[in-house]
Structure formats: C-alpha cells, structure tokens
Amino acid sequence: MKLDEFEIRFDNPRGVFSAGENVSGNVIIKLTKPMKMRCLQLYFEGRAKSHWEVKQGRSKTDYRAGENYINHTVVLFGTGQNSIEHPSGLHAYPFVLHLSPTLPSSYEGRRGYVRYFCKATINRPWKFDEHTKRAFTVIHHLDLNAEPTASMPVWGEQEEVIEGCCCSSGNIQAQMTLNKTGFVPGEPLNYTVDIINNTDNDVTGLEVDLKQVVKYTGYSDSIFSSGHPKFHVKIDNYPLFSGPYHIKKHSEGHISRSVCIPALPPSRLDGCGIIEISYSVHMQPLVRWSSLQIEKDIVIGTIPLQSPLAPPPSFNEVFPVSPSAPPMDLAPPPYQEPPPTYEESVFGRVEIRDENDDAHTEGNMSWAPSYPYYHWDPSTRHFQMIASVTGPAGDIPSYNPEGQPASQLTPCPSYNQL
C-alpha cells in the first residue's frame, strides 16, 4: 500500500487546549510511492448532543437536542477539484485553529456529550477516501477565586425522631462539616461527621458520597409534542466513605477524613445550553427505621483558590529609620499556584466512532477527555510542582474511596493517569 503513515499530531501531545487558545499541530502523511489525490483536507468539529428515550407500554418517545460550536475545514494540499500527484516520502502539514473563549468544556456522559475532534481526509479520485481522526479536550476554566462562596466552610445538621413498631424509639442527630465549598481535582476534601444516637438501635454503617448530578435537555420527536423542553437527570456517586461504622444505641460517634477530588469536569459546564453539571456531598448513617441524611452543594473548578500569603515584615523592622518610600524590590512577588497536570476523566474512555466514520477511518477511537489535576503537598499545605506525569495511556490506577485522615494525608492518587 502506498500510504504508510497518516495521523494527526498536536503541538500539545496531551491534546488539551483552553477555550480562547489555538489548537495547533501537524497532519503527518508518509507515502512509499506518489499518490494521486484531489486534496488533503482537515475538518474540525465541536458539538454537544443529548439523547434518551422513554418507553410507555409498546410506544417509545425519543428526546434529543444538539448544539454546534465548531464546523471548519481547511485544505492542506491540492484544490479539491482536479487530481494532482502527491510526492512520496514523509510530509508534515501544519495547522492552527483559534478556539472561541465561550466554548464549553469537553464532557462524556451516559445521555450526552460535549465533544471536539478533527478529521484529516485524503480525497482520492475513483477510490475510497482515507481518513484519520483524533479527538481533543477543550477546557472552559472555572476560576474558584471568582466564586464568592468557594472559600466558605460548609455545615449541615439534621435531627430525626425514630418511630419503632409500637412506640417512639428515640431520636438521632447528625452533623456534617466540609472545610470549604470550592475544590479542584486532586485537592483534598476534608469532612467530619458527628452522630448522636439516642435511639434503641445501633448505627451499623455510614455512607459519604461525592454526588454528580447531570441535567440533560431534550425535545420530543413525537408529532404530539408541545415543543417545550424536557429534562433528564442522571446521578453518579463516588464513595468518600462507605462501610461498617458502629455506634451503639444511646451513644455518640465521630469521624474525620480527607479524600482527593477525582478528575471531573467543572461545575455548571458553562457555555453549553443542553447539559448542566452540579456536585454535592451526601451523608447518611445506616440505622434501622431512619431515613436521616444530609446533602450540601460544592463547586468543582479548574483554577484553585490562591493560598493567602503571610504578611510581609513591617519596614520599621527592616530599617531603623523608616524611609519616605519602601524600595520597590522588597515587594513580594504575587503568589502563583504550580501548573496542573492533566488526567483522564474518572468516567473512563468511550467509543467516539460515529455514523460518519467508515472502514477507511483510522485513529484512536477509544478516548476520554482530560481535566486539570493538581497535586497536593501535605507538608506545606500547598499544591506541589510535578515535573512530569508519564505512563501508558491505558494504565489506570485503582481508586481508594476512603482517603486518609488529614494528619496522615499523602499525595493524592492518580485517576486514569495519562
């Protein structure tokens, strides 16, 4: 075969780009012999889709919606009209595409997605066209420093009177606190739970979950549809603590833990009009006859809260006699967090081959978006600089759901590390 190599390479090898930046790279083509073609072109697409179905007896109603963000084609070689002979050998065709700053972050879910990809095509006369496809991640940053409540601690309390079979069985009280409201992936979420069990039953277990709620918007394809949007909610729980936890009747219990936020898309999914994402922490003690539970909202962003700086020494301490104006070179530099690494979504990979991809379409069709991931240093209580994060793309470390106590916190585990 004449075509020995045909692929898309991004200048950023991870294929992660921020909204408002440029996607750049090269289309690589290697031919063992000259090849006739009309053109070599590169097509960019960005879109959001939602879809689900509702069954009622033998009938079925589909709900779907879509948004288009990018639809752009650039010709890299030829004209697309007349056949021209492409020389043999190894060739690289550079490309650049500017991304709108309003694009939503990439997301892959069970009822929809926000997906970006590019597809290179060799348009051949009288023969099948050759294609290669590659997806890339777009990050629409959510800066926690712009969220008014991100640094505020979270507190919740509930009390329930337990009714037994014949008479009252006492009451149970629970409190849950979180160290703050806003987090980034890789950052420890510190939580405490206090339970006062004044019932005649033992508490046998405790569940603390990070809950992701995704709200999809769709429209019916039925001829009887009113044209109004319908909504479909999917919930995924990530255990922060789950298992036996024993509190005897008429006694108290306390638990304090710390667990890292996994690689997840940012809250809200700004820029997308048909998919909305929110997060909360849910706690429920397991005790007979009780339905007590506490749920509090949190925000997951992509840019962490800046750590407060220690106040600089007064100039009276530095100079015996205060000068009229302090030297400019004594001003502390502005604090900057170390840059993040990028790790694949905790959801795992999905198949991105669609109805437009035929047997002559190559490329990695198993793909997952990657999100900013910060590595916490417990000794300094700041994010630490990571020189590089490498490893096979398919090497997926296991997830420890329980975390570590704050006093024993170790660097957070990787989730689906690139």
Side-chain angles (χ1 to χ4, degrees), residues 333-344:
Y335 176 76
Q336 290 185 340
E337 298 286 0
T341 57
Y342 293 91
E343 300 203 3
E344 285 190 5

Side-chain angles (χ1 to χ4, degrees), residues 165-311:
C165 293
C166 302
C167 58
S168 174
S169 181
N171 72 324
I172 183 171
Q173 303 173 37
Q175 293 182 352
M176 180 180 70
T177 60
L178 310 178
N179 58 316
K180 58 179 181 173
T181 303
F183 302 87
V184 291
E187 184 175 9
L189 182 153
N190 303 326
Y191 66 90
T192 61
V193 174
D194 294 281
I195 298 173
I196 301 176
N197 181 20
N198 289 323
T199 73
D200 295 330
N201 301 306
D202 291 355
V203 174
T204 59
L206 178 68
E207 294 180 352
V208 184
D209 297 319
L210 171 62
K211 180 183 291 187
Q212 183 197 62
V213 180
V214 183
K215 181 180 177 182
Y216 298 94
T217 301
Y219 298 85
S220 170
D221 60 353
S222 169
I223 59 174
F224 303 105
S225 171
S226 62
H228 298 302
K230 302 295 182 181
F231 304 102
H232 183 72
V233 174
K234 298 298 292 185
I235 299 175
D236 285 293
N237 293 317
Y238 301 91
L240 305 181
F241 180 91
S242 179
Y245 182 69
H246 193 256
I247 303 176
K248 293 183 178 181
K249 57 185 178 181
H250 302 288
S251 60
E252 301 179 7
H254 171 84
I255 187 172
S256 180
R257 294 291 179 99
S258 181
V259 66
C260 295
I261 300 293
L264 289 166
S267 295
R268 298 195 298 264
L269 208 63
D270 290 336
C272 181
I274 62 173
I275 303 174
E276 183 179 349
I277 300 176
S278 61
Y279 295 95
S280 63
V281 176
H282 175 269
M283 183 279 293
Q284 182 173 13
L286 304 181
V287 59
R288 193 178 183 189
W289 309 112
S290 173
S291 60
L292 182 145
Q293 53 189 308
I294 299 174
E295 185 168 330
K296 290 296 179 180
D297 294 337
I298 65 170
V299 176
I300 293 183
T302 62
I303 299 176
L305 285 167
Q306 290 190 359
S307 302
L309 288 172

